[in-house]
Amino acid sequence: MSVKFDSRDKKPKVWSIAILSAVVILVIVILALAYQVIAISLIMDVYFVAVIVILITTFFRQLEYNPYSYNVIYYLGFAIFVLFVLAFNVLSTIRVFSDPEGMGVEEILFVLNGASRNFLILTSVFTIPFSIALSVSNISLIRHEGFRPVNLLGIFLGIFLIGGLVFILLYDRYFSGSFAQLMRHEIIMSIVTSLYLYFECMIIGAIVAGLIAAFHEPKPDKDIVIILGCGIRKDGTPTPVLKGRIDRAIAFRENQLKETGKDLVFITSGGKGTDEILSESRCMHNYLIGQGIPEDHIIEEDQSTTTHENMIFSKKKIQEIDPGAHIAFSTTNFHVFRSGLYARREKMRAVGMGAETRWYFWPNAAVREFAGILSEHRLKQAIILFGIAAVNILLVLLVRLA
């Protein structure tokens, strides 16, 4: 399926899920009072399918509206989360039809309550290898790129994933006590496993969103391509990573000329570090000239020191020469999604293209986007986590008191 970025002007909403949820809860309460178990189970199946369809549809609409948004991760992550719950509810539906007398409302609630826990065990075949791979990639990243706190994100997340899994399995296995202690144990287990599964789904969403952004090919109608800078060599020539970004932009220009005959302008964006003999912008300028790009097709932006500043100062240049320009930017593939986030914050509809890079950059990039969700959407995360906890407490109480 081909998705056209920036082809939709209206931001997609998911209010229909809240309305649908309210209606379904009301219907289930009425059916529960009448003890219509089969109807309840079927309605819940249909409800979860409907939510998944809404989330996936909104996910694609979000890509068409703004592909560089944390909403892309949210919609996909929640769709996966609901899919997990649906899988276990379908099993309870099958059991209802095979044994209608033995399956009551409390049994259905029990299956839902244990869905996160059961799927946690099933997905451990993914979680454990993924956690090990995160640690290995971070070790390789540190060996090749040097030690920085941000390069430890994958290791920390790997420890969290495996440690959380071990805690959940041990906490669930070794328990005995009174009814009150059992209730407390079940509430804690239900909340912890659901939150763990939620974070797992968000990580998957971050990986997929990063891959979609990285491998998308911009439409060949661009007026300007911003090349995002990174470190240069001591002799003032591009590092392999920076060279890859420049070559990717040049290849896009050549392809656009071949397909449409339309030429474009390069903005080389990057300032001068304290240990660099010239600015990254000048380094890229020199390389472009060496590749046969005309001087008047290059604009230097040599003030920026971060990706966000790349977008801020490049936009100022664009406003001076062509405010209505169609814009693309070239960076390393794992960096496209985050760069696009900064561009959209500056109200600049630029579409990214990704240059190839080494494998060990990818896991850390996905973890950074996941961390970005937690840090930049704290209120939204608090509401979501509170909602998950409240639903699980309610389910435990209903199951144990039914």
Side-chain angles (χ1 to χ4, degrees):
M1 181 179 180
S2 177
V3 179
K4 294 182 179 179
F5 287 5
D6 296 325
S7 59
R8 184 181 295 269
D9 294 323
K10 189 175 180 180
K11 185 177 181 178
K13 304 289 186 180
V14 288
W15 292 113
S16 55
I17 292 179
I19 297 171
L20 179 62
S21 299
V23 173
V24 168
I25 290 172
L26 178 61
V27 171
I28 288 177
V29 169
I30 295 172
L31 292 173
L33 293 174
Y35 215 76
Q36 298 295 318
V37 179
I38 294 177
I40 291 174
S41 189
L42 288 173
I43 286 174
M44 291 177 70
D45 286 336
V46 173
Y47 166 72
F48 290 133
V49 170
V51 170
I52 292 170
V53 170
I54 293 171
L55 287 170
I56 293 297
T57 301
T58 309
F59 166 76
F60 283 109
R61 288 177 178 172
Q62 180 63 42
L63 289 176
E64 294 172 348
Y65 172 74
N66 175 11
Y68 311 113
S69 166
Y70 285 128
N71 285 337
V72 174
I73 299 175
Y74 278 123
Y75 298 143
L76 183 59
F78 269 116
I80 297 170
F81 181 80
V82 178
L83 180 62
F84 290 168
V85 179
L86 170 64
F88 283 94
N89 196 72
V90 169
L91 292 178
S92 72
T93 302
I94 295 172
R95 289 173 60 186
V96 167
F97 277 98
S98 62
D99 183 19
E101 298 298 327
M103 282 290 289
V105 176
E106 62 274 13
E107 281 77 16
I108 294 175
L109 293 173
F110 180 79
V111 171
L112 275 179
N113 184 51
S116 297
R117 192 179 317 182
N118 293 329
F119 220 94
L120 187 93
I121 297 172
L122 292 176
T123 56
S124 62
V125 297
F126 158 79
T127 305
I128 295 174
F130 178 72
S131 300
I132 295 172
L134 277 177
S135 300
V136 171
S137 70
N138 267 197
I139 292 171
S140 296
L141 184 63
I142 292 169
R143 284 180 58 196
H144 289 87
E145 304 296 326
F147 175 81
R148 289 191 300 162
V150 72
N151 290 345
L152 294 173
L153 285 174
I155 294 175
F156 290 147
L157 183 59
I159 293 172
F160 166 78
L161 289 173
I162 293 180
L165 182 62
V166 170
F167 166 78
I168 290 168
L169 294 177
L170 291 178
Y171 186 77
D172 194 34
R173 183 176 180 182
Y174 300 108
F175 174 79
S176 62
S178 65
F179 179 77
Q181 291 172 323
L182 176 63
M183 289 286 287
R184 184 168 60 250
H185 171 270
E186 286 296 302
I187 289 174
I188 293 173
M189 275 300 303
S190 184
I191 292 174
V192 171
T193 53
S194 294
L195 295 181
Y196 187 95
L197 179 57
Y198 165 74
F199 287 131
E200 190 176 334
C201 293
M202 289 300 114
I203 293 170
I204 295 172
I207 293 172
V208 175
L211 290 172
I212 291 174
F215 292 104
H216 177 77
E217 183 66 22
K219 187 178 178 181
D221 65 345
K222 299 299 178 280
D223 301 298
I224 294 172
V225 172
I226 305 167
I227 307 175
L228 305 185
C230 59
I232 64 176
R233 287 173 168 164
K234 292 182 178 180
D235 61 358
T237 58
T239 59
V241 173
L242 182 56
K243 181 177 178 297
R245 297 181 181 187
I246 307 170
D247 288 340
R248 180 71 175 87
I250 294 173
F252 177 81
R253 172 182 181 260
E254 292 174 350
N255 181 66
Q256 178 169 296
L257 281 170
K258 182 179 179 180
E259 288 192 25
T260 66
K262 181 179 180 179
D263 207 344
L264 53 78
V265 172
F266 295 101
I267 293 182
T268 55
S269 181
K272 179 179 179 296
T274 56
D275 59 344
E276 296 173 336
I277 63 172
L278 72 167
S279 70
E280 295 166 6
S281 176
R282 173 53 60 166
C283 169
M284 290 186 278
H285 170 277
N286 295 342
Y287 184 85
L288 288 169
I289 294 295
Q291 298 299 310
I293 304 299
E295 181 87 37
D296 59 355
H297 282 236
I298 306 171
I299 297 174
E300 291 190 56
E301 182 287 294
D302 58 3
Q303 300 301 308
S304 56
T305 59
T306 65
T307 303
H308 196 181
E309 289 183 356
N310 285 148
M311 299 304 180
I312 293 173
F313 295 128
S314 293
K315 182 181 179 181
K316 290 181 179 179
K317 295 285 185 181
I318 294 169
Q319 291 297 312
E320 294 172 0
I321 59 174
D322 187 2
H326 293 146
I327 310 163
F329 63 87
S330 178
T331 185
T332 317
N333 47 22
F334 71 86
H335 192 236
V336 174
F337 186 85
R338 176 161 289 273
S339 302
L341 278 172
Y342 290 130
R344 298 311 166 102
R345 285 180 187 172
E346 298 308 313
K347 311 298 182 184
M348 184 166 61
R349 275 200 163 187
V351 181
M353 62 186 78
E356 293 184 3
T357 189
R358 295 179 178 88
W359 65 272
Y360 49 77
F361 282 104
W362 275 103
N364 212 56
V367 174
R368 286 185 66 181
E369 303 316 330
F370 170 69
I373 292 177
L374 301 182
S375 63
E376 298 187 25
H377 293 253
R378 288 184 289 271
L379 178 60
K380 183 183 292 186
Q381 288 299 312
I383 294 172
I384 291 170
L385 299 180
F386 176 80
I388 292 174
V391 169
N392 278 276
I393 292 172
L394 179 61
L395 281 174
V396 170
L397 294 175
L398 289 175
V399 170
R400 293 302 172 186
L401 299 177

